[in-house]
Amino acid sequence: MRNALSNEMMEALKVQLICHEGLTCVPQINETGELTIGVGRKLYQTGISEIEAEQMLERDLAVLLTAMKQDLPIFHQLSEARKQVLLNMAFTINIDGLKKLKKLLAALCIEDFTLAANEILDSNWILGNKDRKAELSMLMKAG
């Protein structure tokens, strides 16, 4: 009894399923009302594995890091800990949201990290998560 398909048959099956199911990189509702992504992956039924979640996170962080290096000149001058803070924030509010925090960026430009830390606490960049704000504020200040 065969347990697996040949590589050629597996490739043919993948092409066939992409044709039948479609391929989408953003969640969508399929014809039966189920939320799917990729090639017919039912998010509520199957979800994603921890490995897939970590792979997605690593890719998202790599893209974000590249964008931060290009779009935020002050980023290059910061310690790794302070870069981590900005990446953490931008992960949630994107770079455009981070750029709106003018007082925070101005404080970084003059290397006033206490003021920058206070701006993290005082701004409304994330609502309802005081612990996260406090942690990032302390990390910004300590550098």
Side-chain angles (χ1 to χ4, degrees), residues 78 82 85-86 89 101 103-123 125 133 136-138 140-141:
L78 299 174
R82 291 181 176 120
V85 170
L86 293 185
M89 293 174 71
L101 301 176
K103 292 179 183 178
L104 169 62
L105 296 177
L108 293 175
C109 287
I110 61 170
E111 297 183 2
D112 188 339
F113 301 115
T114 299
L115 179 58
N118 290 336
E119 285 302 318
I120 290 170
L121 290 174
D122 294 340
S123 67
W125 70 274
K133 284 174 126 179
L136 295 178
S137 175
M138 287 188 297
M140 177 61 74
K141 189 173 183 176

Side-chain angles (χ1 to χ4, degrees), residues 4-17:
L5 296 174
S6 68
N7 289 340
E8 293 82 13
M9 188 57 69
M10 187 60 78
E11 288 303 314
L13 177 60
K14 287 178 359 187
V15 169
Q16 184 183 50
L17 285 170

